[in-house]
Amino acid sequence: MAPRPAPPPSRLVGERVLRREDARLLTGRALFVDDVQLDGMLHVAFLRSEHAHARLRGVDVAAARRRPGVVAVYAADDLGDYWQPGPLLVPPPPIPGLVFHACTQVPLVKDKARHVGEPIAMVVAESRYVAEDAVADIVVDVAPLQAVVDLEAALERGAPLVHEHLSSNLAAHVVQEKGDYNAAKATAHRVVQRRFHYDRGISAAIENRAVAARWDASAEELTVWDTTQAPIPIRNGLARMLGLLESQVRVIAPFVGGGFGPKIMMFYPEEVLVPWAAMRLGRPVKWTEDRQENFTATTQERGQVHDAELAVTRDGKILGVKDVFLHDSGAYDSYGLTVPINSQCTLLGPYDVPNYYTEFTAVFTNKTLVTPVRGAGRQHGVFVMERLLDFAARELGIDRLEIRRRNYLAPEAFPFNNEIIFQDSAPLVYDSGDYAPALAQAAQMIGYEQFVREEQPRLRVAGRHVGIGIVSYIEGTGIGPYEGARVTIEPSGEVRVATGVGTQGQGHFTSFAQIVAEVLGVPMERIHVVTGDTREFNWGTGTFASRGAVVAGTACHAAAVLVRDKIFAVASRVLQVPQERLELVGGRMMVKDATDGGIELGALAARANPLRGAVRPGTEPGLEATAYYGPDRGSTASGVHAMIVEVDPETAMVEIRRYVVVHDCGRLINPMLVEGQIHGGVAHGIGNAFYEQLVYDDSGQLQNASFMDYLLPTATDVPRVEVAHRETASPLNPIGLKGVGEAGCIPTGAAFAQAVEDALADYGLEITEIPLSPDKLFDLLKKTRPKKRNVVVIDGSFVFQGSREAVYALLQDPEVLGKSLPGAMRLGRTGDGRYDGLMRVGIGPVTAAEFSVSVTLHDQKPPAGYRMIVEGKGGFGFVRGTAQVALADHGDGTEMTYRAEVQVGGTIAGVGQRLLDSVAKRMTRQGLEALNTALAARL
């Protein structure tokens, strides 16, 4: 839907308002850190470790210092007392029995390097070119050590230690539990067990990290420009480290070209060293990360190995889940346990899981440290749960949508306590949700029924490999601790909104303005939003965890409400009328039913700040208010993703033909912004699912540290994303908001795996690892062969004792129709001309092959005939085919002529074509005779 100009302010929230920041971005007027150019600015380059694990025996910087244009060179010993390990950013939550070993990053390597790309020395020069040349002058004496790369090998006795003050490479061990999984497992009809791998990737933001700093000695003020997602905590930390008052440090996070999580990391060595050098040298200093550095120096995510099992009843109800997994922390664990705890919690999804055992071991390795990347561990949990449900549905003969429907939490179950601890140290409580309608809407949008019953069988007969995937997810959003905002009406009538969160493309300049404009009843063009500048607002946490709109947006709303209250109070005094007789319209305070024009808010703001006289007791000058919002717990967004893919088995290339998202993030501030977030997230998710994988060798060397080898999805790889919105308002904030920033990428891998597996059903592949990658899929296809296919042709005729009309009508009855299908045990009507059921077939050594079966009647021409499509899937293979049925008068009865072509694959096809033909014809004849008997009884 095309965006519209800003509507009247009374209904701004929920409208498609054009992004206000785009003009600056598109015309090159937006400020990014690398745009900062100051007189006398110096430039920085770093010497980084070429080894993943090496003892540092010496650093000789003499030649580098002699190079013309070099101002300073620093190694760890040159930092003196400033050399300190970084802080632990997120202490683990209070989970009973938790074990955690905090090991945080250092500014420069002092004793040994623990991952490729760790900084050893810093060069400050008149230009970046000189600085880079000087890096090559530095001589480093190192003794390489055996690297720790594989997670399981890292925990073996005698493995090299990443941190030698510890007795092993165990970084953390956490167990969480609800109910009694073992007891549930003992009563289960089926237990599905699999091992899942989810490998590493990078965030690949279009703008790499950058830091610039200037020390003003006369004002004793440090100004830092940083591509951070958390300017206020950066300011607080720098002030503490540099011995300054917080008021002496100003941190500006200008426009940032993508954050995605790694830019919430604090404190990168470069963030610590650049301001220190600026103060020490008395000149502005800047460092901008190049793409090569980004692959090893910026944090990464995703490496986990899960051993999981799902216990279910015969009808697919979940009895319990067990998940034991390893989590790759990398060389340090500065960000605590946010990522693996997110994996633990998000695995539960939108389902009623009465018994849950989850255990993880975080492991130190000689790789770049791990912090959240868009999704922040949620992808792993969703992938495990959705894949387990897929396998259970297949083994039980239940449709993949149906098994999900049967396990969704009901709307009346909320708030729902999952009885485990979330990353915010609070119990994981879902505030609200309504999951089944979202699944139904996604299935309808993607055309699920038509695809699986008509299009897929037709294309498969033509030799094409098409598949569909549809999965559910939840997203914990809007966590604390808090954010704040200040709203000011200036004498000009313009409204200024300041908040401490930074912006990395989310559209905060638009969404925050919509919230405030609606509350104050002023046009949006009069709202001016400032973000990410600690001089403008100096309390808050940052932009991460899909919380900006929820937490900072709610603070903006609260501040605007306070200002609105002040407007009415001041106007009541100025106009000398009771507040109940006033109304706020178009930026003016009006007296109801009055004929004059009232008073403009700018004039009212001037009257609220008198130059003479006194401010009355109990009041404040000006029309300004500051408010904070800190949720007790996060709000829970949810949704369903569906995709249709086509796979070329010869090249292992996958084309995503359609992609559908139905998302519920509570009340929408701006649907267009939400869709933008989802579109970007889906692109990110497609990359994580099929293209992006960091490949390390046994020595910890990254093998694909460039965009020539590390694949990113391009515009041609990402399909048009069809989005529908549902709005289940959160009861936790007055607007009803939930977050959306990571929703697009969280379930993508699970949907992709399901769809590709479905497309390659005749190969019998099970996809249990992500990213799949074209190379990996190609190798899997080379190692397997399409399941043996046999085409059984059944044709003939049969005479029934009854009229055509009676025979045709009875053939619509599932009980009667089922008798005509060989081996049908159960058949039920699911819609007009649509049936689902169960078949059991015994052929030769295969004594009891069960198939979930779907039947669809097409081209119905009562009482002349119809075309029937049958598809069955089961543990012994598959059957699919079409049958043409014609009815004609035959004396006093009706003659049916039929021709069916049925494709049989998998284990059951291995009995041989001759036996298949013989059994199929015999069972068909038996079925028709049974049908005639039933028909005679009915007639």
Side-chain angles (χ1 to χ4, degrees):
M1 185 183 299
R4 299 184 291 273
S10 60
R11 56 178 183 89
L12 277 166
V13 172
E15 292 295 318
R16 291 177 173 270
V17 177
L18 285 170
R19 282 170 42 113
R20 308 180 72 211
E21 49 267 64
D22 285 353
R24 280 183 288 170
L25 291 165
L26 294 172
T27 58
R29 292 183 288 115
L31 179 72
F32 293 86
V33 173
D34 198 50
D35 295 325
V36 175
Q37 303 292 335
L38 302 171
D39 290 340
M41 178 169 274
L42 301 172
H43 299 268
V44 170
F46 287 92
L47 172 70
R48 299 182 183 275
S49 175
E50 297 177 350
H51 300 274
H53 200 193
R55 189 81 57 197
L56 182 62
R57 295 189 295 209
V59 182
D60 184 352
V61 300
R65 286 173 174 162
R66 289 194 298 269
R67 177 175 286 273
V70 170
V71 176
V73 182
Y74 303 109
D77 290 342
D78 298 308
L79 303 183
D81 293 340
Y82 194 65
W83 189 97
Q84 295 289 334
L88 175 63
L89 303 180
V90 185
I95 298 172
L98 179 147
V99 175
F100 179 69
H101 300 298
C103 295
T104 59
Q105 78 286 351
V106 297
L108 294 173
V109 173
K110 179 176 283 189
D111 56 351
K112 70 173 183 174
R114 293 179 171 87
H115 68 85
V116 172
E118 192 168 13
I120 295 174
M122 172 188 185
V123 176
V124 187
E126 297 291 347
S127 73
R128 180 67 178 260
Y129 302 99
V130 173
E132 294 284 359
D133 288 342
V135 164
D137 296 333
I138 300 173
V139 179
V140 178
D141 182 12
V142 298
L145 301 170
Q146 184 180 348
V148 180
V149 179
D150 180 79
L151 291 179
E152 290 176 301
L155 295 175
E156 292 176 356
R157 185 182 298 274
L161 296 177
V162 178
H163 297 280
E164 291 166 355
H165 68 283
L166 300 176
S167 61
S168 76
N169 290 312
L170 185 144
H173 181 254
V174 176
V175 175
Q176 297 209 67
E177 191 170 9
K178 64 179 285 193
D180 187 340
Y181 173 75
N182 288 331
K185 179 179 178 180
T187 66
H189 170 70
R190 183 89 40 126
V191 177
V192 179
Q193 298 174 315
R194 296 292 190 280
R195 168 167 273 212
F196 300 99
H197 293 261
Y198 214 121
D199 212 346
R200 278 185 176 233
I202 61 171
S203 63
I206 195 169
E207 180 194 22
N208 290 336
R209 293 185 296 117
V211 185
R214 176 182 61 196
W215 170 248
D216 185 337
S218 59
E220 295 188 319
E221 179 180 89
L222 176 68
T223 303
V224 178
W225 294 263
D226 192 352
T227 55
T228 180
Q229 295 173 233
I232 294 172
I234 290 289
R235 177 209 59 186
N236 298 346
L238 287 175
R240 183 181 67 254
M241 287 184 268
L242 294 168
L244 300 173
L245 298 174
E246 290 180 359
S247 59
Q248 289 179 278
V249 181
R250 180 186 184 186
V251 174
I252 302 168
F255 282 98
V256 175
F260 307 132
K263 291 173 184 171
I264 193 67
M265 166 64 183
M266 298 172 282
F267 290 78
Y268 280 106
E270 302 86 0
E271 285 176 318
V272 172
L273 294 171
V274 168
W276 175 83
M279 291 185 67
R280 187 179 181 90
L281 299 173
R283 291 176 63 178
V285 177
K286 182 170 70 174
W287 167 80
T288 300
E289 181 183 57
D290 64 37
R291 187 59 66 180
Q292 184 78 29
E293 289 178 297
N294 181 262
F295 272 94
T296 56
T298 291
T299 58
Q300 305 165 357
E301 205 217 302
R302 310 252 189 271
Q304 290 182 1
V305 179
H306 290 250
D307 289 296
E309 54 189 60
L310 173 71
V312 292
T313 65
R314 185 182 299 272
D315 61 359
K317 284 287 290 179
I318 296 171
L319 296 175
V321 177
K322 180 180 181 180
D323 182 37
V324 178
F325 67 96
L326 300 176
H327 168 75
D328 187 348
S329 290
Y332 304 99
D333 55 3
S334 311
Y335 212 90
L337 300 177
T338 296
V339 172
I341 288 175
N342 277 351
S343 300
Q344 279 190 324
C345 293
T346 309
L347 183 145
L348 292 167
Y351 307 111
D352 185 2
V353 181
N355 302 283
Y356 184 40
Y357 178 89
T358 173
E359 174 184 355
F360 73 78
T361 301
V363 184
F364 287 121
T365 63
N366 291 121
K367 302 178 191 174
T368 303
L369 61 162
V370 164
T371 69
V373 173
R374 197 175 198 170
R378 298 175 181 89
Q379 287 98 324
H380 312 66
V382 171
F383 184 75
V384 171
M385 186 60 151
E386 295 299 310
R387 294 271 63 205
L388 287 174
L389 286 171
D390 290 338
F391 299 142
R394 184 182 306 160
E395 293 182 22
L396 294 170
I398 300 173
D399 180 80
R400 66 191 108 173
L401 271 64
E402 183 58 30
I403 198 170
R404 288 166 170 82
R405 273 192 290 263
R406 292 178 186 179
N407 288 289
Y408 279 149
L409 290 165
E412 57 271 18
F414 299 95
F416 185 81
N417 187 352
N418 284 285
E419 302 176 32
I420 61 174
I421 302 299
F422 191 42
Q423 60 153 308
D424 59 355
S425 298
L428 179 64
V429 177
Y430 297 169
D431 58 326
S432 61
D434 191 7
Y435 305 132
L439 180 69
Q441 187 172 4
Q444 184 273 327
M445 289 175 64
I446 200 87
Y448 179 81
E449 293 292 339
Q450 181 180 11
F451 179 83
V452 299
R453 296 180 184 277
E454 300 176 29
E455 185 177 1
Q456 190 179 45
R458 175 178 59 80
L459 293 173
R460 281 176 169 172
V461 169
R464 294 171 64 182
H465 291 77
V466 294
I468 192 168
I470 185 163
V471 299
S472 298
Y473 65 98
I474 58 97
E475 178 190 5
T477 75
I479 61 172
Y482 73 95
E483 291 298 338
R486 183 178 64 253
V487 175
T488 305
I489 299 178
E490 299 191 353
S492 63
E494 302 298 291
V495 180
R496 188 172 178 83
V497 181
T499 181
V501 299
T503 185
Q504 302 91 41
Q506 297 90 338
H508 292 154
F509 294 94
T510 305
S511 57
F512 294 164
Q514 285 181 256
I515 291 171
V516 173
E518 180 169 293
V519 173
L520 297 182
V522 300
M524 267 193 65
E525 54 267 23
R526 306 198 76 173
I527 308 288
H528 304 270
V529 177
V530 179
T531 70
D533 186 340
T534 61
R535 179 60 53 83
E536 295 287 342
F537 198 88
N538 62 355
W539 292 96
T541 309
T543 307
F544 58 95
S546 298
R547 66 189 294 275
V550 180
V551 186
T554 301
C556 289
H557 180 271
V561 168
L562 292 175
V563 169
R564 191 176 191 276
D565 291 342
K566 285 187 173 184
I567 291 170
F568 275 82
V570 173
S572 177
R573 292 198 306 271
V574 170
L575 299 176
Q576 298 184 341
V577 296
Q579 292 188 31
E580 56 270 19
R581 289 192 56 206
L582 297 173
E583 58 184 350
L584 185 53
V585 180
R588 302 179 71 88
M589 283 303 297
M590 312 284 289
V591 179
K592 295 177 182 176
D593 302 325
T595 58
D596 63 19
I599 184 171
E600 290 186 345
L601 292 185
L604 200 62
R607 298 286 292 271
N609 185 26
L611 296 178
R612 294 290 186 271
V615 176
R616 294 185 180 182
T619 67
E620 298 173 347
L623 297 180
E624 179 179 281
T626 299
Y628 297 89
Y629 172 66
D632 292 332
R633 62 179 188 272
S635 54
T636 308
S638 62
V640 176
H641 284 212
M643 72 168 78
I644 292 174
V645 304
E646 182 164 6
V647 183
D648 182 348
E650 297 298 319
T651 64
M653 293 307 298
V654 180
E655 177 191 358
I656 302 176
R657 295 171 56 187
R658 288 189 64 197
Y659 203 108
V660 165
V661 177
V662 177
H663 185 65
D664 185 343
C665 58
R667 188 181 178 197
L668 299 172
I669 301 173
N670 186 326
M672 186 175 66
L673 296 183
V674 170
E675 288 160 14
Q677 288 277 19
I678 290 172
H679 292 172
V682 167
H684 209 152
I686 289 171
N688 296 160
F690 192 47
Y691 296 100
E692 302 181 48
Q693 181 179 16
L694 293 171
V695 180
Y696 287 87
D697 67 13
D698 292 341
S699 65
Q701 291 292 331
L702 186 57
Q703 300 296 291
N704 58 337
S706 78
F707 284 156
M708 293 183 67
D709 301 303
Y710 182 87
L711 301 181
L712 288 173
T714 66
T716 60
D717 301 313
V718 179
R720 185 175 71 88
V721 181
E722 305 164 55
V723 180
H725 303 287
R726 304 193 66 82
E727 295 186 81
T728 305
S730 173
L732 302 180
N733 59 76
I735 313 178
L737 304 175
K738 301 178 182 181
V740 69
E742 295 159 286
C745 66
I746 289 172
T748 315
F752 184 82
Q754 187 193 113
V756 171
E757 195 175 274
D758 186 44
L760 298 171
D762 54 334
Y763 280 79
L765 296 181
E766 275 196 355
I767 298 173
T768 56
E769 55 185 303
I770 290 291
L772 185 58
S773 86
D775 285 348
K776 194 176 297 181
L777 179 58
F778 188 77
D779 289 341
L780 286 172
L781 289 168
K782 282 200 304 184
K783 293 174 183 176
T784 59
R785 291 289 181 268
K787 292 182 180 179
K788 187 175 180 181
R789 299 182 183 182
N790 296 75
V791 177
V792 179
V793 178
I794 309 169
D795 55 11
S797 63
F798 194 86
V799 177
F800 296 100
Q801 300 304 310
S803 68
R804 281 201 304 163
E805 289 76 12
V807 173
Y808 190 93
L810 282 170
L811 285 173
Q812 312 299 304
D813 186 326
E815 182 179 344
V816 176
L817 180 62
K819 294 184 182 299
S820 68
L821 298 176
M825 298 179 61
R826 182 179 72 248
L827 197 69
R829 189 192 305 272
T830 59
D832 184 21
R834 295 179 177 180
Y835 309 83
D836 281 341
L838 184 69
M839 293 174 61
R840 179 175 293 166
V841 179
I843 304 176
V846 182
T847 57
E850 285 192 1
F851 299 88
S852 59
V853 62
S854 63
V855 179
T856 313
L857 303 184
H858 298 274
D859 304 329
Q860 298 185 61
K861 299 174 182 177
Y866 52 80
R867 181 168 59 92
M868 179 167 61
I869 295 179
V870 179
E871 180 160 13
K873 298 179 182 178
F876 287 90
F878 64 87
V879 293
R880 64 175 70 97
T882 62
Q884 193 69 44
V885 176
L887 301 177
D889 293 331
H890 186 86
D892 294 334
T894 299
E895 181 181 36
M896 171 196 281
T897 58
Y898 56 88
R899 177 180 174 82
E901 293 185 5
V902 181
Q903 188 181 78
V904 182
T907 303
I908 196 169
V911 302
Q913 184 72 46
R914 184 177 298 177
L915 188 55
L916 281 171
D917 288 341
S918 173
V919 171
K921 290 176 181 178
R922 185 174 69 251
M923 293 182 69
T924 300
R925 177 61 55 174
Q926 291 171 352
L928 291 170
E929 289 172 352
L931 190 152
N932 193 38
T933 301
L935 188 62
R938 295 284 188 96
L939 295 176

